Amino acid sequence: MPVNLPPLDKLLAVPGVLVGAAAAGIKQQERDDLVVLSLAPGTSAAGVFTQNAFRAAPVEIALQHLRQAAPRALVINSGNANAATGEPGHRDALEICQGVADALQIARDQVLPLSTGVIGERLPVAAMLDAVSRASQGLDSDNWEAAANAILTTDTQAKALSESVDLPEARVTVTGMAKGSGMIKPDMATMLAFVGCDAAIETSCLQAMTREVADASFNRVSVDGDTSTNDAFVIVATGSAGNKPISGPRDPGYAEVLATLRAVSAELAQRIVRDGEGATRFVTIRVAGGAEPAECLAVAYTVAESPLVKTALFAGDANWGRFCMAIGRAGLPALDPGRVNLFLNDVCVARGGLMDADYEESAASAVMAQDEYEILIELGRGQAEEVVWTTDLS
């Protein structure tokens, strides 16, 4: 069962984005599994994608199309990853892109394909082309909830939310959706996620913002330590809000829009963790006092992905030596255990590398019995601090 996963609130339409969903019967006949998103002319788009060597055909094509043309549409399917399918899978994905292009009267290289699901199987192209036609005919600005449900695989419920922010000359709307439950480990991006906003943002600036947003959200989660073949995170900015185009950090509205994109994406990332396959705990791992952010992340991920730690989290076992073990093997040069402190929420477990003088195991066990809590590790090496969100291993 998911860990305190919130239900969907009302999702806001993003001016310049039309959404359609349909059933292609890829894995199940009963529900929608294909989404078409139509983007207004002049939309900027940017993305980050998996670095897995088995990158799926849609990832390769999306990267190529982003370099070639200004995107006017996305097509997303669940149930089939179209990964490890070779040249035939590449042709299948291009055929789907052509179907979207024909339906929307745009060029094929203006379509970004995203897929998720079973690896190693060909797409049912004919059925998907029929679904593309139906989804395109049903395009509407208020179809976000249907789309968020259509992209799910092993997820227990849809993950989507909206925020808005007022700029001096316009109100900007941000709506995002994501899917992911298993095979979750950051590597440029994790899972599938799409965020739309109606701000005017130049493409090069949007790409930099997308990388920064990914690093503060989807690249800070781990459920099982495995990186998917299909990870993709795309942000589009339609420009429909009417603000002066944002081209860099010094421009009016940059900070406000970036903060809103980060907030929406961080919440979506946390919802993926809350819905992790088999998860019974949602755990924040905060590492402070690092010499640089990279070593804080090295410690955080070593703790988050240690099977011994994750099984202790599931059991509620306050065996704090497992945390020390993981911290010690994170590869930090000249780590001084005598400067390391460890807390479970506000319970100090270890101070200066030794059991705290006031530590009581019952207090630590009470924290670990909760369905969500924070592990704080202080390294005593500097001022850097990073956060990772993870689960137990049931």
Side-chain angles (χ1 to χ4, degrees):
M1 294 294 291
V3 183
N4 301 327
L5 181 61
L8 290 184
D9 289 329
K10 178 176 174 55
L11 300 174
L12 302 176
V14 177
V17 180
L18 298 176
V19 185
I26 298 172
K27 294 296 290 184
Q28 303 178 35
Q29 300 296 327
E30 306 82 39
R31 71 173 184 88
D32 292 346
D33 52 12
L34 183 140
V35 174
V36 173
L37 297 109
S38 175
L39 310 175
T43 295
S44 299
V48 288
F49 300 86
T50 184
Q51 297 301 295
N52 191 301
F54 264 90
R55 288 202 300 196
V59 170
E60 298 289 356
I61 292 169
L63 281 164
Q64 181 181 8
H65 285 187
L66 275 171
R67 291 191 293 265
Q68 291 176 338
R72 291 289 311 283
L74 281 80
V75 57
I76 309 172
N77 75 270
S78 63
N80 187 317
N82 193 14
T85 51
E87 183 57 31
H90 193 89
R91 292 196 301 269
D92 291 345
L94 286 176
E95 191 169 351
I96 301 301
C97 290
Q98 187 63 58
V100 175
D102 293 342
L104 301 183
Q105 296 186 325
I106 58 178
R108 187 179 72 177
D109 62 1
Q110 291 181 298
V111 181
L112 304 182
L114 305 176
S115 299
T116 181
V118 175
I119 293 172
E121 296 182 4
R122 295 277 299 276
L123 295 175
V125 173
M128 289 178 64
L129 289 174
D130 179 66
V132 163
S133 177
R134 287 182 280 115
S136 300
Q137 292 170 14
L139 289 170
D140 191 278
S141 60
D142 290 321
N143 276 344
W144 283 92
E145 183 171 347
N149 279 287
I151 65 175
L152 305 183
T153 51
T154 57
D155 311 62
T156 65
Q157 72 179 59
K159 305 168 183 70
L161 73 150
S162 298
E163 297 285 351
S164 59
V165 60
D166 288 322
L167 305 184
E169 70 275 31
R171 165 166 280 200
V172 170
T173 300
V174 176
T175 294
M177 61 181 180
K179 66 78 53 184
S181 184
M183 205 178 290
I184 300 297
K185 159 69 180 183
D187 192 355
M188 294 303 291
T190 304
M191 47 14 38
L192 296 187
F194 171 80
V195 174
C197 76
D198 58 344
I201 307 173
E202 293 185 3
T203 300
S204 60
C205 179
L206 184 62
Q207 183 63 53
M209 294 171 81
T210 300
R211 291 187 181 279
E212 183 172 342
V213 169
D215 280 341
S217 57
F218 299 112
N219 281 351
R220 294 293 178 266
V221 300
S222 180
V223 171
D224 45 35
D226 284 319
T227 301
S228 168
T229 56
N230 290 62
D231 297 342
F233 171 42
V234 174
I235 298 179
V236 303
T238 68
S240 300
N243 63 293
K244 182 180 178 181
I246 298 170
S247 61
R250 296 182 179 180
D251 287 346
Y254 176 92
E256 293 86 349
V257 172
L258 178 61
T260 307
L261 291 170
R262 285 182 59 160
V264 167
S265 299
E267 176 61 25
L268 289 173
Q270 291 180 42
R271 292 185 185 188
I272 286 174
V273 177
R274 293 183 185 280
D275 201 22
E277 290 180 358
T280 70
R281 304 282 195 275
F282 174 86
V283 180
T284 299
I285 300 179
R286 186 179 306 276
V287 180
E292 58 185 10
E295 66 179 32
C296 293
L297 288 173
V299 171
Y301 277 119
T302 305
V303 173
E305 293 166 4
S306 163
L308 285 177
V309 169
K310 293 175 83 71
T311 50
L313 299 180
F314 171 67
D317 178 9
N319 184 348
W320 62 276
R322 296 189 179 194
F323 299 112
C324 295
M325 169 277 299
I327 295 167
R329 71 173 179 85
L332 270 61
L335 175 66
D336 181 0
R339 301 176 67 88
V340 175
N341 303 326
L342 172 67
F343 294 80
L344 298 173
N345 281 352
D346 58 355
V347 175
C348 183
V349 177
R351 191 178 299 277
L354 303 174
M355 182 188 296
D356 184 72
D358 298 322
Y359 172 70
E360 294 182 1
E361 185 173 339
S362 59
S365 296
V367 172
M368 296 185 68
Q370 300 174 28
D371 51 17
E372 56 181 285
Y373 53 89
E374 178 177 287
I375 299 169
L376 169 62
I377 300 163
E378 297 177 339
L379 298 176
R381 294 161 61 90
Q383 301 301 315
E385 180 174 329
E386 292 289 347
V387 172
V388 165
W389 301 292
T390 192
T391 68
D392 58 340
L393 183 63
S394 68

